[in-house]
């Protein structure tokens, strides 16, 4: 469509991306730009973890409490996973590939937070298995389940 053409009825109905989706894409672009900067691997890892901790600190209290606990569980259960931001969300990667992530409820104005796995996670179980979990709170049992799932995901 040129600048002189009028939008069609189909184009007028297209709402495009939500503000939250655009924000996530902008965050991802900034993450990629930051990861391309020069520096030692240790410096980059420390910067990425600091960015994750800062992002968690910005969350609403209920999400922040869960995200802090998940961060601790993953660092304890699978220390080889590297914390990093992924579309503005705390995520954990192996060899640079995101394995799992935490999405706060406020990220996309949802009624619950989500802990999810990417397709890099080794959770395959037949022809169908869960790839994300809704969280309204994180109990000791839930934290233990997340730790076990993350361990399975990287093995």
């Amino acid at each position: 469509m040129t600048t002189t053409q009028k939008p069609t009825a189909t184009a007028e109905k297209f709402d495009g991306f939500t503000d939250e989706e655009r924000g996530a894409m902008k965050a991802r672009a900034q993450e990629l730009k930051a990861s391309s900067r020069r520096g030692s691997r240790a410096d980059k890892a420390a910067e990425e973890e600091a960015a994750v901790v800062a992002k968690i600190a910005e969350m609403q209290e209920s999400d922040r409490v869960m995200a802090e606990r998940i961060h601790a569980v993953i660092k304890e259960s699978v220390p080889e996973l590297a914390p990093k931001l992924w579309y503005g969300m705390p995520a954990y990667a192996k060899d640079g590939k995101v394995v799992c992530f935490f999405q706060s409820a406020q990220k996309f104005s949802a009624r619950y937070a989500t802990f999810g796995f990417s397709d890099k996670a080794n959770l395959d179980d037949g022809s169908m298995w869960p790839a994300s979990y809704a969280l309204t709170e994180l109990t000791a049992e839930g934290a233990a389940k997340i730790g076990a799932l993350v361990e399975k995901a990287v093995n």
Side-chain angles (χ1 to χ4, degrees):
M1 179 168 75
T2 66
T3 56
T4 58
Q5 289 178 318
K6 293 188 179 196
T8 64
T10 305
E12 289 173 2
K13 291 181 181 179
F14 179 70
D15 291 330
F17 296 106
T18 65
D19 289 342
E20 293 87 357
E21 290 167 332
R22 279 193 295 281
M25 289 185 289
K26 286 178 183 177
R28 183 67 181 137
Q30 291 172 341
E31 293 157 11
L32 291 170
K33 187 176 180 181
S35 71
S36 68
R37 292 187 194 128
R38 296 191 192 277
S40 74
R41 181 172 278 161
D43 288 345
K44 284 184 180 181
E47 286 176 16
E48 288 181 343
E49 181 159 11
V52 166
V53 170
K55 183 59 72 173
I56 290 170
E58 294 173 3
M59 294 178 186
Q60 294 175 0
E61 184 178 357
S62 59
D63 288 344
R64 187 182 69 249
V65 169
M66 288 188 288
E68 288 171 343
R69 181 71 179 122
I70 288 170
H71 184 75
V73 166
I74 291 173
K75 286 185 60 86
E76 181 181 310
S77 301
V78 192
E80 67 267 25
L81 287 183
K84 66 184 289 173
L85 289 178
W86 187 58
Y87 293 94
M89 297 178 285
Y92 303 86
K94 180 177 180 181
D95 301 326
K97 309 275 188 204
V98 170
V99 174
C100 57
F101 59 91
F102 177 81
Q103 179 179 299
S104 70
Q106 78 184 90
K107 178 80 175 165
F108 292 106
S109 303
R111 66 182 179 97
Y112 50 78
T114 307
F115 183 74
F117 294 92
S118 76
D119 62 334
K120 304 301 180 210
N122 296 318
L123 295 174
D124 303 33
D125 184 16
S127 62
M128 187 171 125
W129 58 90
S132 66
Y133 297 84
L135 300 170
T136 56
E137 67 176 321
L138 190 57
T139 63
E141 180 183 340
K145 184 174 183 175
I146 286 173
L149 284 168
V150 173
E151 285 177 22
K152 180 180 178 184
V154 297
N155 293 323

